[in-house]
Amino acid sequence: MKDLLRQKRLRHALILLFTLIIFAVPFLVTNNYYLSVLVIIGIHTIVVVGLCLLMGYAGQISLGHAAFYGLGAYTSGILTSTYNVSPWLAMLAGAVGTGIIAYLIGIPIFRLKEHYLALATLGLGLIIHVVLMEEVELTGGPSGLSKGIPYLSIGSLVFNNDFKYYFLVWILALLAVILANNVVHSRIGRALRSIHGSEFAAQSLGVDTGRHKLQVFALSAIYASVAGSLYAHYITFISPSPFGLMTSVQFVVMAVVGGLASIWGPILGVSVITVMAEGLKEFMPLLIPQAGGEYEIVVYGIILVVIMIFMPDGLTATLVKAYESWRYRKERPNETS
Amino acid sequence: MSLSSELLQYLLSGLTMGGIYALVALGFVIIHNVTGIINFAQGEFVMLGAMFMVTLVNAGVPAAGALVIAVILVMIVVGLIEIGAIRTARKASPITLIIITIGLSTAIKGIALLVWGTNPYKLEPFTKGGPIHIGGATIVPQSLWVIGTTVLVLALTFFIFEYTYWGKALRACVVNKFAARLMGINPQRMSLLAFVFSAALAALAGIVIAPITYVTYDMGLMLGLKGFVAAVLGGLSSTPGAVIGGLALGIIESMGAGLLSSGYKDGIAFIILLLVLFLKPGGIFGTSGTKRV
């Protein structure tokens, strides 16, 4: 009991500390490039939090989340630039629309299991990507939406630079984490974990596994859609290429590298992967002056393999284990093990 | 061109690509059955085979010799990868292992970019000669090479699986890994064998398709993906299923591109895939029904 209380206190302390760090960072980092990387990390975190709910708690993999990300971005982009709809309304429309689409498509898809499910989501992602490429009149095709997408604004506050956008994105990212945390610790969360443990056992105890999986799938699609809208209003130009298969794969990689069993996994996973990719872009030319982009890809791939070989449960699990063994040794200094 | 000759044309080009998909799909099935891993680097093995072949031929090695050397090189590379990465992490969960293969695929592609650059390479067809006309449709001789190689390799694969000790051991792992282990079959050695064998299939696929499509460092992604689709269509654990899945995918794709819209070619293939999965959730040849808890 004491342990449980301490764990809960630790969890709250961590969340508080993290929030403080988040709000302190933009005052310390004044370089616009670093700020823009942090904004992108925030946007990706929102997607990966949703994906982690689906993968870590419902035990279902999705290789098509970039499509939902793209649906959000394009709904926002098209509604605001072509039809002059208010950006916030467009974002809401994207989220609701994507949620409904995910729910409806999810009904047949979630009759599938394991690899078939992965393949079906992959196929879904590719189909949506093809539609974005081919429906030139609506989406602008491969070259993207030509009309400018407006900035987001609240009253007279226009989010038109990295500094302001940073706060907007990270407040939403924190809300996403807190909401996900509440879902995990609710009745639905317990039902979800029981699906991950054994779907048959859960069913036999009266858990409506199918409906819960669909709800989480729709929720994670809504997360991705909101992140997509944020992306569209940040970059103010969209083309189909950031919403392809490789982005879907990258979201899954971020989720797994961070670790699926903790709410900190997504933030850590997204940060590590993004900083790694950006860092390699910065530092490889310094190490090997004649190197082009090729070395980055090789090193990125190898680091990914090494992380997964030595920390198969993700970074958060490894950190938690390290912390626990440190505490264990501190409390029992005389025992050696 | 009449509709029937047009259909024949699509059928022939579909069979050509389908043969390639079948070879790649077979590799997916073998590795999945023996190790439980979906090997996302399979497409890169195809690319490596084609690249080694082009390099050797350009260096003056005769085509037949180059083919053998290229296949052996890919087998060695993949063997080393299996020992270095897959075996070290064998206790990890399947999803972790899958991410490892994604990382490997990225690294292999990066190395290929480093060595061969972004330029597409061209490989001369194995035999010279103009296109052949069959009932109003035309086919390039290299397509016959592709179809012939596919048939030959499949026959060889079935022979190995039926009549050799190692083939039987692999098959035993496919049927029941645990029982195979009790019979003294070393699962680690089988994993290595499965990877090396699949690598040979993939490399061959890359080599025979090279004269039809250009060889580029990023050709592996789509081929690997289509191979995966074919394998799943066939049920993911059945070798004849993988072959039929590959051919079916090739034909569906070429018909879809020809009759409906070439821009939606990949879309059509995947819509049909989804429909098949919805109607038959275990793949066409999958074993459906009860599962022990």
Side-chain angles (χ1 to χ4, degrees):
Chain A
M1 196 60 217
K2 212 178 115 205
D3 252 23
L4 268 178
L5 269 176
R6 185 154 65 181
Q7 265 180 21
K8 199 169 179 182
R9 270 213 307 273
L10 182 72
R11 205 163 62 213
H12 290 167
L14 271 176
I15 291 180
L16 203 67
L17 182 72
F18 181 74
T19 314
L20 283 176
I21 292 174
I22 288 288
F23 289 117
V25 162
F27 297 101
L28 305 171
V29 179
T30 44
N31 181 326
N32 264 344
Y33 165 67
Y34 292 143
L35 264 185
S36 72
V37 171
L38 288 169
V39 169
I40 293 292
I41 290 178
I43 291 174
H44 286 172
T45 297
I46 298 175
V47 183
V48 178
V49 167
L51 198 57
C52 267
L53 270 184
L54 185 67
M55 287 171 62
Y57 293 94
Q60 309 292 323
I61 192 173
S62 166
L63 287 172
H65 256 56
F68 300 130
Y69 185 51
L71 279 179
Y74 268 91
T75 312
S76 273
I78 292 168
L79 284 182
T80 53
S81 68
T82 313
Y83 299 101
N84 289 323
V85 177
S86 135
W88 296 107
L89 212 61
M91 187 186 283
L92 187 68
V96 173
T98 309
I100 291 172
I101 289 174
Y103 196 90
L104 291 179
I105 297 176
I107 292 172
I109 280 188
F110 274 95
R111 286 172 49 218
L112 304 170
K113 298 236 153 35
E114 296 160 13
H115 298 317
Y116 300 103
L117 181 74
L119 183 62
T121 55
L122 185 151
L124 175 68
L126 280 171
I127 290 168
I128 293 179
H129 190 244
V130 168
V131 171
L132 293 181
M133 296 280 275
E134 296 297 321
E135 291 302 316
V136 178
E137 251 169 56
L138 194 63
T139 65
S143 51
L145 265 184
S146 50
K147 289 167 223 137
I149 301 164
Y151 290 112
L152 284 169
S153 59
I154 301 173
S156 60
L157 175 63
V158 183
F159 295 96
N160 56 359
N161 63 27
D162 291 331
F163 184 77
K164 292 183 213 163
Y165 217 81
Y166 175 94
F167 283 101
L168 176 70
V169 164
W170 277 100
I171 286 171
L172 286 173
L174 279 178
L175 284 176
V177 171
I178 291 167
L179 177 64
N181 200 24
N182 284 345
V183 170
V184 167
H185 290 105
S186 71
R187 212 182 126 259
I188 294 180
R190 284 194 298 277
L192 286 178
R193 264 170 290 165
S194 74
I195 296 175
H196 198 168
S198 163
E199 189 163 347
F200 289 95
Q203 273 171 350
S204 68
L205 290 173
V207 177
D208 188 348
T209 57
R211 204 166 56 104
H212 286 318
K213 281 195 286 188
L214 271 179
Q215 285 166 342
V216 177
F217 187 59
L219 181 66
S220 72
I222 291 172
Y223 270 44
S225 168
V226 170
S229 297
L230 285 172
Y231 175 84
H233 289 292
Y234 177 57
I235 307 284
T236 66
F237 166 80
I238 44 173
S239 68
S241 55
F243 309 112
L245 172 68
M246 282 328 286
T247 312
S248 289
V249 170
Q250 194 147 32
F251 287 146
V252 174
V253 165
M254 286 167 170
V256 175
V257 165
L260 296 171
S262 154
I263 54 162
W264 300 104
I267 297 174
L268 204 60
V270 174
S271 307
V272 166
I273 295 284
T274 312
V275 169
M276 201 168 92
E278 294 293 327
L280 286 172
K281 235 181 258 172
E282 286 274 280
F283 293 113
M284 284 309 280
L286 298 180
L287 283 177
I288 314 166
Q290 75 277 17
E294 302 89 340
Y295 286 92
E296 288 156 41
I297 309 178
V298 179
V299 175
Y300 175 85
I302 291 173
I303 292 179
L304 188 59
V305 172
V306 171
I307 291 179
M308 290 331 295
I309 288 178
F310 294 105
M311 304 172 199
D313 295 323
L315 291 168
T316 31
T318 309
L319 286 179
V320 168
K321 236 181 264 169
Y323 169 76
E324 273 169 3
S325 73
W326 171 77
R327 246 196 41 204
Y328 184 85
R329 256 177 286 151
K330 204 182 75 173
E331 282 172 14
R332 298 171 181 76
N334 300 324
E335 290 171 39
T336 47
S337 63
Chain B
M1 228 195 242
S2 68
L3 183 66
S4 66
S5 65
E6 213 171 312
L7 284 178
L8 183 65
Q9 181 70 58
Y10 298 144
L11 186 71
L12 287 175
S13 44
L15 277 178
T16 309
M17 277 323 283
I20 298 298
Y21 297 156
L23 289 177
V24 182
L26 205 54
F28 268 106
V29 168
I30 293 170
I31 291 181
H32 175 258
N33 279 344
V34 175
T35 64
I37 299 173
I38 297 290
N39 175 28
F40 274 103
Q42 191 77 5
E44 308 309 325
F45 302 166
V46 178
M47 180 271 296
L48 278 183
M51 279 297 190
F52 282 140
M53 179 75 181
V54 170
T55 311
L56 286 166
V57 168
N58 286 348
V61 182
L67 188 145
V68 175
I69 300 173
V71 171
I72 291 175
L73 279 177
V74 176
M75 289 165 83
I76 292 172
V77 169
V78 172
L80 292 177
I81 289 176
E82 201 277 342
I83 294 169
I86 306 292
R87 185 170 298 184
T88 332
R90 66 183 178 279
K91 294 209 179 80
S93 66
I95 174 82
T96 304
L97 286 166
I98 290 171
I99 302 281
I100 288 177
T101 68
I102 292 175
L104 286 172
S105 140
T106 315
I108 295 172
K109 198 191 291 173
I111 291 170
L113 183 59
L114 209 64
V115 176
W116 288 290
T118 51
N119 290 332
Y121 291 83
K122 188 167 170 35
L123 185 66
E124 287 301 313
F126 294 179
T127 44
K128 293 196 171 55
I132 302 160
H133 300 272
I134 310 167
T138 50
I139 185 169
V140 288
Q142 187 62 30
S143 286
L144 295 179
W145 275 102
V146 172
I147 296 168
T149 310
T150 310
V151 172
L152 195 71
V153 167
L154 293 180
L156 194 65
T157 305
F158 287 119
F159 174 80
I160 291 173
F161 274 24
E162 287 296 321
Y163 295 108
T164 66
Y165 170 76
W166 290 109
K168 285 180 189 166
L170 268 180
R171 218 150 40 100
C173 281
V174 171
V175 175
N176 189 330
K177 215 188 299 180
F178 186 63
R181 198 169 177 167
L182 289 180
M183 293 296 119
I185 294 170
N186 181 342
Q188 277 182 38
R189 205 173 291 161
M190 283 301 118
S191 163
L192 179 63
L193 192 64
F195 268 89
V196 171
F197 192 76
S198 303
L201 291 177
L204 266 175
I207 291 168
V208 290
I209 197 68
I212 296 180
T213 64
Y214 283 88
V215 183
T216 55
Y217 79 98
D218 61 353
M219 68 188 282
L221 176 71
M222 233 15 193
L223 283 174
L225 216 55
K226 298 282 174 62
F228 177 44
V229 171
V232 172
L233 275 178
L236 203 57
S237 54
S238 135
T239 38
V243 175
I244 295 171
L247 293 177
L249 181 66
I251 294 167
I252 290 167
E253 212 179 63
S254 114
M255 295 271 175
L259 299 174
L260 298 168
S261 146
S262 61
Y264 274 102
K265 181 182 122 194
D266 293 336
I268 292 162
F270 281 101
I271 286 173
I272 287 171
L273 167 83
L274 287 183
L275 287 179
V276 169
L277 285 180
F278 294 159
L279 296 176
K280 220 155 169 325
I284 304 172
F285 296 90
T287 47
S288 53
T290 54
K291 179 189 162 200
R292 288 171 65 95
V293 182

